[in-house]
PDB file of all heavy atoms in Angstrom:
ATOM      1  N   LEU W  39      17.460  13.088   0.132  1.00  0.00           N
ATOM      2  CA  LEU W  39      16.582  13.955  -0.645  1.00  0.00           C
ATOM      3  C   LEU W  39      17.417  15.055  -1.272  1.00  0.00           C
ATOM      4  O   LEU W  39      18.179  15.731  -0.579  1.00  0.00           O
ATOM      5  CB  LEU W  39      15.499  14.577   0.241  1.00  0.00           C
ATOM      6  CG  LEU W  39      14.497  13.625   0.894  1.00  0.00           C
ATOM      7  CD1 LEU W  39      13.552  14.413   1.800  1.00  0.00           C
ATOM      8  CD2 LEU W  39      13.711  12.853  -0.150  1.00  0.00           C
ATOM      9  N   ASP W  40      17.251  15.235  -2.557  1.00  0.00           N
ATOM     10  CA  ASP W  40      17.958  16.299  -3.260  1.00  0.00           C
ATOM     11  C   ASP W  40      17.165  17.604  -3.123  1.00  0.00           C
ATOM     12  O   ASP W  40      16.095  17.642  -2.511  1.00  0.00           O
ATOM     13  CB  ASP W  40      18.121  15.911  -4.727  1.00  0.00           C
ATOM     14  CG  ASP W  40      19.370  16.512  -5.358  1.00  0.00           C
ATOM     15  OD1 ASP W  40      19.783  17.598  -4.917  1.00  0.00           O
ATOM     16  OD2 ASP W  40      19.934  15.889  -6.278  1.00  0.00           O
ATOM     17  N   VAL W  41      17.696  18.662  -3.699  1.00  0.00           N
ATOM     18  CA  VAL W  41      17.045  19.979  -3.648  1.00  0.00           C
ATOM     19  C   VAL W  41      15.624  19.879  -4.192  1.00  0.00           C
ATOM     20  O   VAL W  41      15.399  19.354  -5.288  1.00  0.00           O
ATOM     21  CB  VAL W  41      17.855  21.018  -4.458  1.00  0.00           C
ATOM     22  CG1 VAL W  41      17.107  22.340  -4.540  1.00  0.00           C
ATOM     23  CG2 VAL W  41      19.232  21.208  -3.840  1.00  0.00           C
ATOM     24  N   GLY W  42      14.657  20.350  -3.408  1.00  0.00           N
ATOM     25  CA  GLY W  42      13.267  20.385  -3.846  1.00  0.00           C
ATOM     26  C   GLY W  42      12.509  19.089  -3.712  1.00  0.00           C
ATOM     27  O   GLY W  42      11.319  19.025  -4.043  1.00  0.00           O
ATOM     28  N   GLN W  43      13.142  18.032  -3.222  1.00  0.00           N
ATOM     29  CA  GLN W  43      12.455  16.751  -3.076  1.00  0.00           C
ATOM     30  C   GLN W  43      11.815  16.614  -1.697  1.00  0.00           C
ATOM     31  O   GLN W  43      12.331  17.151  -0.711  1.00  0.00           O
ATOM     32  CB  GLN W  43      13.423  15.592  -3.309  1.00  0.00           C
ATOM     33  CG  GLN W  43      13.904  15.477  -4.751  1.00  0.00           C
ATOM     34  CD  GLN W  43      14.823  14.292  -4.954  1.00  0.00           C
ATOM     35  OE1 GLN W  43      15.460  13.794  -4.022  1.00  0.00           O
ATOM     36  NE2 GLN W  43      14.915  13.820  -6.196  1.00  0.00           N
ATOM     37  N   VAL W  44      10.698  15.885  -1.651  1.00  0.00           N
ATOM     38  CA  VAL W  44       9.925  15.716  -0.425  1.00  0.00           C
ATOM     39  C   VAL W  44       9.590  14.233  -0.270  1.00  0.00           C
ATOM     40  O   VAL W  44       9.105  13.604  -1.211  1.00  0.00           O
ATOM     41  CB  VAL W  44       8.616  16.540  -0.472  1.00  0.00           C
ATOM     42  CG1 VAL W  44       7.830  16.368   0.821  1.00  0.00           C
ATOM     43  CG2 VAL W  44       8.916  18.016  -0.736  1.00  0.00           C
ATOM     44  N   GLY W  87      13.694  18.095   1.408  1.00  0.00           N
ATOM     45  CA  GLY W  87      15.045  18.342   0.961  1.00  0.00           C
ATOM     46  C   GLY W  87      15.400  19.819   1.025  1.00  0.00           C
ATOM     47  O   GLY W  87      14.555  20.668   1.339  1.00  0.00           O
ATOM     48  N   PRO W  88      16.640  20.150   0.718  1.00  0.00           N
ATOM     49  CA  PRO W  88      17.083  21.547   0.740  1.00  0.00           C
ATOM     50  C   PRO W  88      16.233  22.418  -0.185  1.00  0.00           C
ATOM     51  O   PRO W  88      15.820  21.993  -1.264  1.00  0.00           O
ATOM     52  CB  PRO W  88      18.526  21.459   0.233  1.00  0.00           C
ATOM     53  CG  PRO W  88      18.957  20.070   0.543  1.00  0.00           C
ATOM     54  CD  PRO W  88      17.736  19.225   0.375  1.00  0.00           C
ATOM     55  N   VAL W  90      13.172  23.515   0.110  1.00  0.00           N
ATOM     56  CA  VAL W  90      11.708  23.364   0.146  1.00  0.00           C
ATOM     57  C   VAL W  90      11.114  24.363   1.132  1.00  0.00           C
ATOM     58  O   VAL W  90      11.523  24.419   2.292  1.00  0.00           O
ATOM     59  CB  VAL W  90      11.314  21.922   0.529  1.00  0.00           C
ATOM     60  CG1 VAL W  90       9.809  21.806   0.741  1.00  0.00           C
ATOM     61  CG2 VAL W  90      11.773  20.942  -0.555  1.00  0.00           C
ATOM     62  N   GLY W 108       6.685  26.156  -5.749  1.00  0.00           N
ATOM     63  CA  GLY W 108       7.891  25.513  -5.258  1.00  0.00           C
ATOM     64  C   GLY W 108       8.816  25.024  -6.355  1.00  0.00           C
ATOM     65  O   GLY W 108       8.630  25.271  -7.547  1.00  0.00           O
ATOM     66  N   ILE W 109       9.810  24.288  -5.932  1.00  0.00           N
ATOM     67  CA  ILE W 109      10.875  23.815  -6.804  1.00  0.00           C
ATOM     68  C   ILE W 109      10.408  22.607  -7.614  1.00  0.00           C
ATOM     69  O   ILE W 109       9.704  21.744  -7.105  1.00  0.00           O
ATOM     70  CB  ILE W 109      12.107  23.417  -5.969  1.00  0.00           C
ATOM     71  CG1 ILE W 109      12.648  24.624  -5.205  1.00  0.00           C
ATOM     72  CG2 ILE W 109      13.200  22.797  -6.839  1.00  0.00           C
ATOM     73  CD1 ILE W 109      13.673  24.252  -4.149  1.00  0.00           C
ATOM     74  N   GLU W 110      10.818  22.577  -8.888  1.00  0.00           N
ATOM     75  CA  GLU W 110      10.698  21.340  -9.649  1.00  0.00           C
ATOM     76  C   GLU W 110      12.026  20.612  -9.517  1.00  0.00           C
ATOM     77  O   GLU W 110      13.036  21.013 -10.074  1.00  0.00           O
ATOM     78  CB  GLU W 110      10.368  21.605 -11.109  1.00  0.00           C
ATOM     79  CG  GLU W 110      10.208  20.325 -11.908  1.00  0.00           C
ATOM     80  CD  GLU W 110       9.372  20.510 -13.143  1.00  0.00           C
ATOM     81  OE1 GLU W 110       8.128  20.611 -13.019  1.00  0.00           O
ATOM     82  OE2 GLU W 110       9.952  20.569 -14.240  1.00  0.00           O
ATOM     83  N   SER W 111      12.007  19.539  -8.771  1.00  0.00           N
ATOM     84  CA  SER W 111      13.241  18.853  -8.395  1.00  0.00           C
ATOM     85  C   SER W 111      13.704  17.899  -9.492  1.00  0.00           C
ATOM     86  O   SER W 111      13.004  17.655 -10.481  1.00  0.00           O
ATOM     87  CB  SER W 111      13.013  18.058  -7.112  1.00  0.00           C
ATOM     88  OG  SER W 111      12.173  16.945  -7.373  1.00  0.00           O
ATOM     89  N   ALA W 112      14.854  17.325  -9.274  1.00  0.00           N
ATOM     90  CA  ALA W 112      15.260  16.173 -10.067  1.00  0.00           C
ATOM     91  C   ALA W 112      14.325  15.011  -9.733  1.00  0.00           C
ATOM     92  O   ALA W 112      13.753  14.943  -8.643  1.00  0.00           O
ATOM     93  CB  ALA W 112      16.700  15.797  -9.733  1.00  0.00           C
ATOM     94  N   VAL W 113      14.151  14.100 -10.682  1.00  0.00           N
ATOM     95  CA  VAL W 113      13.278  12.949 -10.425  1.00  0.00           C
ATOM     96  C   VAL W 113      14.063  11.874  -9.678  1.00  0.00           C
ATOM     97  O   VAL W 113      15.266  11.703  -9.898  1.00  0.00           O
ATOM     98  CB  VAL W 113      12.696  12.381 -11.733  1.00  0.00           C
ATOM     99  CG1 VAL W 113      11.801  13.410 -12.397  1.00  0.00           C
ATOM    100  CG2 VAL W 113      13.791  11.934 -12.687  1.00  0.00           C
ATOM    101  N   PRO W 114      13.407  11.153  -8.774  1.00  0.00           N
ATOM    102  CA  PRO W 114      14.102  10.124  -7.995  1.00  0.00           C
ATOM    103  C   PRO W 114      14.278   8.839  -8.791  1.00  0.00           C
ATOM    104  O   PRO W 114      13.586   8.595  -9.787  1.00  0.00           O
ATOM    105  CB  PRO W 114      13.159   9.896  -6.816  1.00  0.00           C
ATOM    106  CG  PRO W 114      11.797  10.160  -7.386  1.00  0.00           C
ATOM    107  CD  PRO W 114      11.980  11.273  -8.378  1.00  0.00           C
ATOM    108  N   ALA W 125      11.093   7.066 -12.068  1.00  0.00           N
ATOM    109  CA  ALA W 125       9.891   7.725 -11.554  1.00  0.00           C
ATOM    110  C   ALA W 125       9.868   9.159 -12.056  1.00  0.00           C
ATOM    111  O   ALA W 125      10.913   9.732 -12.380  1.00  0.00           O
ATOM    112  CB  ALA W 125       9.871   7.700 -10.025  1.00  0.00           C
ATOM    113  N   GLY W 126       8.685   9.724 -12.119  1.00  0.00           N
ATOM    114  CA  GLY W 126       8.551  11.120 -12.498  1.00  0.00           C
ATOM    115  C   GLY W 126       8.572  12.019 -11.276  1.00  0.00           C
ATOM    116  O   GLY W 126       8.992  11.626 -10.186  1.00  0.00           O
ATOM    117  N   TRP W 127       8.098  13.251 -11.451  1.00  0.00           N
ATOM    118  CA  TRP W 127       8.084  14.212 -10.347  1.00  0.00           C
ATOM    119  C   TRP W 127       7.082  13.825  -9.274  1.00  0.00           C
ATOM    120  O   TRP W 127       7.172  14.280  -8.145  1.00  0.00           O
ATOM    121  CB  TRP W 127       7.778  15.613 -10.884  1.00  0.00           C
ATOM    122  CG  TRP W 127       8.886  16.156 -11.733  1.00  0.00           C
ATOM    123  CD1 TRP W 127      10.129  16.552 -11.311  1.00  0.00           C
ATOM    124  CD2 TRP W 127       8.860  16.353 -13.143  1.00  0.00           C
ATOM    125  NE1 TRP W 127      10.880  16.978 -12.369  1.00  0.00           N
ATOM    126  CE2 TRP W 127      10.121  16.868 -13.516  1.00  0.00           C
ATOM    127  CE3 TRP W 127       7.907  16.142 -14.131  1.00  0.00           C
ATOM    128  CZ2 TRP W 127      10.444  17.186 -14.836  1.00  0.00           C
ATOM    129  CZ3 TRP W 127       8.219  16.456 -15.449  1.00  0.00           C
ATOM    130  CH2 TRP W 127       9.483  16.971 -15.783  1.00  0.00           C
ATOM    131  N   VAL W 128       6.120  12.976  -9.645  1.00  0.00           N
ATOM    132  CA  VAL W 128       5.194  12.423  -8.662  1.00  0.00           C
ATOM    133  C   VAL W 128       4.831  11.013  -9.099  1.00  0.00           C
ATOM    134  O   VAL W 128       4.619  10.758 -10.296  1.00  0.00           O
ATOM    135  CB  VAL W 128       3.918  13.290  -8.517  1.00  0.00           C
ATOM    136  CG1 VAL W 128       3.175  13.432  -9.829  1.00  0.00           C
ATOM    137  CG2 VAL W 128       2.996  12.740  -7.434  1.00  0.00           C
ATOM    138  N   ILE W 136       9.066   9.824  -3.150  1.00  0.00           N
ATOM    139  CA  ILE W 136       9.824  11.071  -3.198  1.00  0.00           C
ATOM    140  C   ILE W 136       9.212  11.908  -4.307  1.00  0.00           C
ATOM    141  O   ILE W 136       9.216  11.515  -5.477  1.00  0.00           O
ATOM    142  CB  ILE W 136      11.320  10.814  -3.424  1.00  0.00           C
ATOM    143  CG1 ILE W 136      11.892  10.097  -2.198  1.00  0.00           C
ATOM    144  CG2 ILE W 136      12.056  12.123  -3.679  1.00  0.00           C
ATOM    145  CD1 ILE W 136      13.341   9.708  -2.316  1.00  0.00           C
ATOM    146  N   VAL W 137       8.646  13.043  -3.916  1.00  0.00           N
ATOM    147  CA  VAL W 137       7.837  13.868  -4.795  1.00  0.00           C
ATOM    148  C   VAL W 137       8.460  15.255  -4.899  1.00  0.00           C
ATOM    149  O   VAL W 137       8.982  15.797  -3.919  1.00  0.00           O
ATOM    150  CB  VAL W 137       6.392  13.975  -4.258  1.00  0.00           C
ATOM    151  CG1 VAL W 137       5.515  14.799  -5.196  1.00  0.00           C
ATOM    152  CG2 VAL W 137       5.785  12.589  -4.041  1.00  0.00           C
ATOM    153  N   SER W 138       8.404  15.828  -6.082  1.00  0.00           N
ATOM    154  CA  SER W 138       8.867  17.199  -6.272  1.00  0.00           C
ATOM    155  C   SER W 138       7.975  18.162  -5.483  1.00  0.00           C
ATOM    156  O   SER W 138       6.747  18.007  -5.452  1.00  0.00           O
ATOM    157  CB  SER W 138       8.820  17.544  -7.760  1.00  0.00           C
ATOM    158  OG  SER W 138       9.237  18.860  -8.004  1.00  0.00           O
ATOM    159  N   GLU W 139       8.586  19.166  -4.868  1.00  0.00           N
ATOM    160  CA  GLU W 139       7.823  20.123  -4.060  1.00  0.00           C
ATOM    161  C   GLU W 139       6.650  20.708  -4.829  1.00  0.00           C
ATOM    162  O   GLU W 139       5.552  20.899  -4.267  1.00  0.00           O
ATOM    163  CB  GLU W 139       8.735  21.257  -3.584  1.00  0.00           C
ATOM    164  CG  GLU W 139       8.009  22.309  -2.752  1.00  0.00           C
ATOM    165  CD  GLU W 139       8.855  23.542  -2.454  1.00  0.00           C
ATOM    166  OE1 GLU W 139       9.867  23.759  -3.154  1.00  0.00           O
ATOM    167  OE2 GLU W 139       8.501  24.292  -1.525  1.00  0.00           O
ATOM    168  N   ASN W 140       6.836  21.000  -6.126  1.00  0.00           N
ATOM    169  CA  ASN W 140       5.771  21.677  -6.873  1.00  0.00           C
ATOM    170  C   ASN W 140       4.648  20.745  -7.315  1.00  0.00           C
ATOM    171  O   ASN W 140       3.739  21.161  -8.025  1.00  0.00           O
ATOM    172  CB  ASN W 140       6.342  22.433  -8.071  1.00  0.00           C
ATOM    173  CG  ASN W 140       6.891  21.528  -9.155  1.00  0.00           C
ATOM    174  OD1 ASN W 140       7.078  20.330  -8.960  1.00  0.00           O
ATOM    175  ND2 ASN W 140       7.193  22.115 -10.304  1.00  0.00           N
ATOM    176  N   ARG W 141       4.697  19.481  -6.868  1.00  0.00           N
ATOM    177  CA  ARG W 141       3.589  18.552  -7.092  1.00  0.00           C
ATOM    178  C   ARG W 141       2.836  18.254  -5.795  1.00  0.00           C
ATOM    179  O   ARG W 141       2.102  17.267  -5.714  1.00  0.00           O
ATOM    180  CB  ARG W 141       4.105  17.250  -7.688  1.00  0.00           C
ATOM    181  CG  ARG W 141       4.003  17.176  -9.207  1.00  0.00           C
ATOM    182  CD  ARG W 141       4.806  18.201  -9.929  1.00  0.00           C
ATOM    183  NE  ARG W 141       4.786  17.939 -11.372  1.00  0.00           N
ATOM    184  CZ  ARG W 141       5.578  18.517 -12.244  1.00  0.00           C
ATOM    185  NH1 ARG W 141       6.456  19.420 -11.847  1.00  0.00           N
ATOM    186  NH2 ARG W 141       5.500  18.246 -13.534  1.00  0.00           N
TER     187      ARG W 141
END
Side-chain angles (χ1 to χ4, degrees):
L39 296 177
D40 209 331
V41 174
Q43 292 182 336
V44 181
V90 173
I109 298 168
E110 181 157 284
S111 71
V113 296
W127 292 290
V128 59
I136 294 177
V137 182
S138 179
E139 179 189 18
N140 68 347
R141 264 62 173 192

